[in-house]
Amino acid sequence: MMGSSKARERRVANFGVPWEDAYGYAQAVEVDGVIYVSGQVSHDRDGTLIAPAPLNEAGRPTSYSNTEAQLRRSYENAASLLGEFGATLDDVVEETLFVIDIEAAFAAAGKVRKVMYASDKPRVASNLIGVSRLAFPELLVEVAFRAIPGRGGAA
């Protein structure tokens, strides 16, 4: 090992849903005053998917009408995790939205983000990335966050 480095303390938060252990990750990690929130999806505390997309025989979504509901729940889950560190969505400085359908997500994200950040113009760097599939076929969106308590400011 080259040089010596001081191990950084990490605090983590989890929901206790089955895929945390199956995949092996933390829902959120805080290190050096920065909170990294893993991609949040639309589920409750038990891991039941909220507003799942209907699927065809091939396992592909047949409608994107649940995009807004899935986004809202993803932001609510992120807010809950941030709260574990004494932070809120006001502390978010960057987000990345991974979406199955760009048009549906763009239309829904504008509304949901304004409500969740309580601002018509959230002061948050944002990325919207189209993907072919997410962890579960019923998912339409996943949102990852980076927050710096005391330095964000969505207003």
Side-chain angles (χ1 to χ4, degrees):
M1 187 159 101
M2 268 181 132
S4 69
S5 64
K6 182 180 173 187
R8 292 190 160 109
E9 181 181 336
R10 294 180 189 212
R11 294 190 305 150
V12 301
N14 283 303
F15 286 123
V17 293
W19 52 87
E20 292 167 354
D21 288 335
Y23 186 69
Y25 75 107
Q27 293 283 352
V29 177
E30 184 272 331
V31 62
D32 291 342
V34 179
I35 304 165
Y36 303 88
V37 179
S38 294
Q40 294 303 297
V41 298
S42 181
H43 65 81
D44 65 15
R45 284 283 191 169
D46 297 322
T48 302
L49 296 181
I50 304 298
L55 303 176
N56 64 19
E57 304 77 31
R60 300 291 302 159
T62 59
S63 168
Y64 302 101
S65 62
N66 289 347
T67 299
E68 185 175 334
Q70 286 194 20
L71 268 173
R72 188 176 307 108
R73 184 57 188 231
S74 298
Y75 278 86
E76 290 169 355
N77 287 347
S80 176
L81 289 166
L82 290 168
E84 296 287 322
F85 302 97
T88 69
L89 288 173
D90 286 340
D91 298 307
V92 171
V93 296
E94 182 181 27
E95 64 182 14
T96 300
L97 290 77
F98 300 95
V99 303
I100 300 298
D101 184 87
I102 297 276
E103 289 78 15
F106 194 83
K111 291 193 289 189
V112 172
R113 293 178 72 253
K114 289 175 183 180
V115 170
M116 297 308 294
Y117 290 119
S119 173
D120 282 341
K121 238 180 174 177
R123 294 177 9 175
V124 176
S126 185
N127 310 291
L128 180 68
I129 301 171
V131 297
S132 63
R133 180 162 175 227
L134 295 166
F136 303 112
E138 300 88 355
L139 293 175
L140 302 171
V141 298
E142 179 173 325
V143 188
F145 301 83
R146 183 178 312 164
I148 304 174
R151 296 217 178 144

